[in-house]
Amino acid sequence: MAWLHTWAGLWFSWLLFAVFLTGSLAVFSEPITHWMTPEHQEAEALAARKESVPVDRARRFDLAVDYMTRNHGGAGMWEIWPVDRFHDNGLTAYWFDKNGMYADADLDPDTGAELDDHHEAAGRATLGGSHFVDFHYTLHDANLGLWIVAFASMAMLVALISGVVTHKRIFKDFFTFRARKGQRSWLDAHNAVAVLTLPFQFMIAYTGIVISSAALMPAPIAANYGAGPDAARRYLAEMEGEETLARSGIAQAVPALEPIVAHGERLIGQTARAIVIRNPEDSSMRIGVYGWNEDADTFRSISATTGMAEFSASGELLRLRPPGGVLGGAPSLARQVMSDLHMAKFGGLAIKWLYFVCGLAGAAMMGTGAVLFMVKRRARHGDEFGGATARVYRLIEGLNVAALAGLAIACIGYFWANRLLPAALENRAAWELRGFFLIWALTLVHAWLCSPRRAWITQLGLLSALCLLLPLLSFATLGDHPYAQIARGDWESAGVELGALAFGVLSGWAALHVWKRPASAPSRRKSRANEEAAA
């Protein structure tokens, strides 16, 4: 168990640190996106002016249906969003293309004409906070990356269980921290953050694996539904209580949607968000009305499903799902709750902050474990890898610096790239992402070129400077600053910059602490404390 805890923890600690750090930032992906699109103020003002004019929703439905009939009549599904709360109050249509994948088009809400990709108000293209979401669970590779993170999550469960088994004084040591004691201090810190957030760490690792089960365990799905994305979709639809719907071959026009949608809104008690038409223009068509979740809805239930009412083409009610409910029974409810537990879709801002703090504690657990590994080895002067031991240890020390401090630098560098890259740059979002990975790669090269102590001091100092100077960068490029943001009630932008200042202070303190501590000369004799920790 001790061997499992040490080596499973070490070889996956760098990746898990990245998963936890970016996952913590992903909790606030919407405020980050808000900050990274500073032109949002003009867009929001425009949206407010549009909202003052009553929306002719019935006309929007007619325009969207007409567009879909002319351009995507053979699609097996149409989806219409008559209003977009978060952007410009626009009209959007979705459908399944020939490969069974989602496709979409933004439509002019007045004419129904398809808009090009540059129809929005002038602004900067960016992935925003979704970069941290995607990296957190796929490493920006939906196939291989998902599997890598899943294996790392399994290794984390192994490390957690073996750590509990091998730790004899797990609760006693939680209340013990001995500062300035070298290896003992790192061990105390590792124990404290691990025990404090142990239930959270188990939950987040387990639910992360479960909600990806359809991709990670495809054999049962393939045996029952066949292969390909359409099979996975049928499986998920059945989990949600949705019956397989075959086309009858009898043509039937899509009825007027506004009366059906208004009826659905009364039944579910929510404003309509999306209208999904299965088997459009066929007598077997089903029209589903899906609602918007309000803040009060997410407080009442861990399950964040919206209300749904499904009708036949004649307007007959076929299925009804209240907000927070499911239609697939206990298995579907369990899956939904696990998904919402992992994604913090309940409890409002308080739960988001709890997840953020616990996620950072998880990152600290991974980071202190990786550092502790090398602290113990430096004290032992062992011969684990024969003649290559010194080179392996040097490799691990460089990876420690780049995986911990280097990743944090790459994250704040991503914010800097958002402000420094020209707003009109072609493929701008891709260049922001390239900047993130380039900075991270440079920190790894630096960590291997310098001594470990110098690399830690330099990279922590750089991290501190980049964080502390971020508000000044915003002021220099946009004329904006936290005081003005707070004054106008823009707490999302202010929160990002104040958070950067807090991280800057912490990383500056860490750099100063390492700099003040003298480089210890190698000792060939184990101290009594080292032997106790090794045991």
Side-chain angles (χ1 to χ4, degrees), residues 263-308:
H263 185 201
E265 288 177 325
R266 290 191 296 270
L267 291 173
I268 63 178
Q270 290 184 327
T271 303
R273 166 177 56 94
I275 290 77
V276 178
I277 306 175
R278 294 193 291 151
N279 289 356
E281 299 184 306
D282 187 88
S283 62
S284 64
M285 83 176 76
R286 298 288 185 266
I287 302 170
V289 179
Y290 292 79
W292 280 104
N293 262 339
E294 305 295 344
D295 291 341
D297 296 320
T298 59
F299 272 92
R300 284 196 292 265
S301 174
I302 292 180
S303 175
T305 57
T306 63
M308 187 277 292

Side-chain angles (χ1 to χ4, degrees), residues 363-380:
M365 178 181 70
M366 304 302 169
T368 54
V371 172
L372 178 61
F373 177 91
M374 281 313 306
V375 170
K376 293 173 70 173
R377 265 66 189 173
R378 283 198 299 266
R380 288 180 182 176

Side-chain angles (χ1 to χ4, degrees), residues 128-169:
S130 65
H131 155 58
F132 298 110
V133 177
D134 293 340
F135 185 90
H136 164 68
Y137 77 102
T138 67
L139 309 179
H140 284 291
D141 187 327
N143 297 315
L144 180 61
L146 179 66
W147 279 90
I148 292 173
V149 174
F151 275 114
S153 300
M154 287 297 297
M156 177 180 170
L157 290 175
V158 169
L160 287 173
I161 295 170
S162 58
V164 171
V165 171
T166 58
H167 201 119
K168 300 176 182 178
R169 303 178 300 180

Side-chain angles (χ1 to χ4, degrees), residues 372-447:
L372 178 61
F373 177 91
M374 281 313 306
V375 170
K376 293 173 70 173
R377 265 66 189 173
R378 283 198 299 266
R380 288 180 182 176
H381 293 279
D383 196 30
E384 289 175 290
F385 301 99
T389 298
R391 293 193 298 273
V392 172
Y393 285 174
R394 184 67 187 90
L395 172 70
I396 293 173
E397 285 185 317
L399 286 171
N400 275 351
V401 177
L404 307 183
L407 175 63
I409 291 172
C411 289
I412 192 64
Y414 176 70
F415 288 83
W416 275 68
N418 176 262
R419 289 294 189 256
L420 294 176
L421 290 174
L425 178 67
E426 188 176 357
N427 295 324
R428 190 180 182 284
W431 278 109
E432 283 185 357
L433 191 60
R434 290 168 190 155
F436 169 83
F437 286 108
L438 177 61
I439 293 170
W440 198 6
L442 290 175
T443 63
L444 178 60
V445 174
H446 173 264

Side-chain angles (χ1 to χ4, degrees), residues 438-473:
L438 177 61
I439 293 170
W440 198 6
L442 290 175
T443 63
L444 178 60
V445 174
H446 173 264
W448 280 335
L449 291 178
C450 298
S451 67
R453 181 173 182 271
R454 179 178 297 178
W456 277 114
I457 294 172
T458 303
Q459 294 200 19
L460 287 173
L462 177 60
L463 173 61
S464 177
L466 291 175
C467 289
L468 293 174
L469 293 175
L470 186 66
L472 291 178
L473 176 66

Side-chain angles (χ1 to χ4, degrees), residues 83-409:
V83 175
D84 188 338
R85 285 185 174 184
F86 304 117
H87 293 93
D88 60 355
N89 198 19
L91 173 64
T92 308
Y94 301 84
W95 63 93
F96 288 144
D97 62 18
K98 295 179 180 180
N99 298 319
M101 306 300 291
Y102 255 108
D104 66 270
D106 291 322
L107 307 179
D108 188 312
D110 297 319
T111 66
E114 184 173 353
L115 301 172
D116 60 35
D117 294 336
H118 305 288
H119 72 278
E120 295 183 355
R124 60 196 65 206
T126 178
L127 293 177
S130 65
H131 155 58
F132 298 110
V133 177
D134 293 340
F135 185 90
H136 164 68
Y137 77 102
T138 67
L139 309 179
H140 284 291
D141 187 327
N143 297 315
L144 180 61
L146 179 66
W147 279 90
I148 292 173
V149 174
F151 275 114
S153 300
M154 287 297 297
M156 177 180 170
L157 290 175
V158 169
L160 287 173
I161 295 170
S162 58
V164 171
V165 171
T166 58
H167 201 119
K168 300 176 182 178
R169 303 178 300 180
I170 186 170
F171 293 107
K172 179 181 178 181
D173 283 352
F174 168 64
F175 297 98
T176 303
F177 180 74
R178 286 151 284 196
R180 302 180 184 275
K181 298 293 184 182
Q183 177 182 325
R184 173 51 46 176
S185 297
W186 283 108
L187 185 60
D188 287 345
H190 181 69
N191 291 337
V193 293
V195 176
L196 174 65
T197 59
L198 190 61
F200 176 84
Q201 311 303 340
F202 270 111
M203 180 275 292
I204 211 72
Y206 181 74
T207 56
I209 295 171
V210 168
I211 61 179
S212 301
S213 59
L216 300 175
M217 295 187 290
I221 298 172
N224 288 278
Y225 302 92
D230 192 56
R233 188 160 47 246
R234 289 199 304 271
Y235 158 72
L236 293 174
E238 187 169 308
M239 280 285 291
E240 295 170 3
E242 185 177 295
E243 62 179 334
T244 301
L245 192 61
R247 298 183 76 92
S248 67
I250 302 174
Q252 181 173 348
V254 175
L257 293 179
E258 178 60 31
I260 295 176
V261 172
H263 185 201
E265 288 177 325
R266 290 191 296 270
L267 291 173
I268 63 178
Q270 290 184 327
T271 303
R273 166 177 56 94
I275 290 77
V276 178
I277 306 175
R278 294 193 291 151
N279 289 356
E281 299 184 306
D282 187 88
S283 62
S284 64
M285 83 176 76
R286 298 288 185 266
I287 302 170
V289 179
Y290 292 79
W292 280 104
N293 262 339
E294 305 295 344
D295 291 341
D297 296 320
T298 59
F299 272 92
R300 284 196 292 265
S301 174
I302 292 180
S303 175
T305 57
T306 63
M308 187 277 292
E310 187 176 67
F311 301 88
S312 67
S314 63
E316 178 188 359
L317 178 65
L318 302 176
R319 294 192 303 156
L320 181 65
R321 182 185 72 198
V326 295
L327 296 177
S332 182
L333 179 60
R335 183 181 181 278
Q336 183 65 46
V337 168
M338 286 189 181
S339 174
D340 293 337
L341 271 174
H342 189 88
M343 299 179 187
K345 290 188 175 181
F346 63 98
L349 192 59
I351 290 296
K352 287 184 180 295
W353 275 107
L354 177 64
Y355 272 55
F356 181 74
V357 172
C358 288
L360 291 180
M365 178 181 70
M366 304 302 169
T368 54
V371 172
L372 178 61
F373 177 91
M374 281 313 306
V375 170
K376 293 173 70 173
R377 265 66 189 173
R378 283 198 299 266
R380 288 180 182 176
H381 293 279
D383 196 30
E384 289 175 290
F385 301 99
T389 298
R391 293 193 298 273
V392 172
Y393 285 174
R394 184 67 187 90
L395 172 70
I396 293 173
E397 285 185 317
L399 286 171
N400 275 351
V401 177
L404 307 183
L407 175 63
I409 291 172

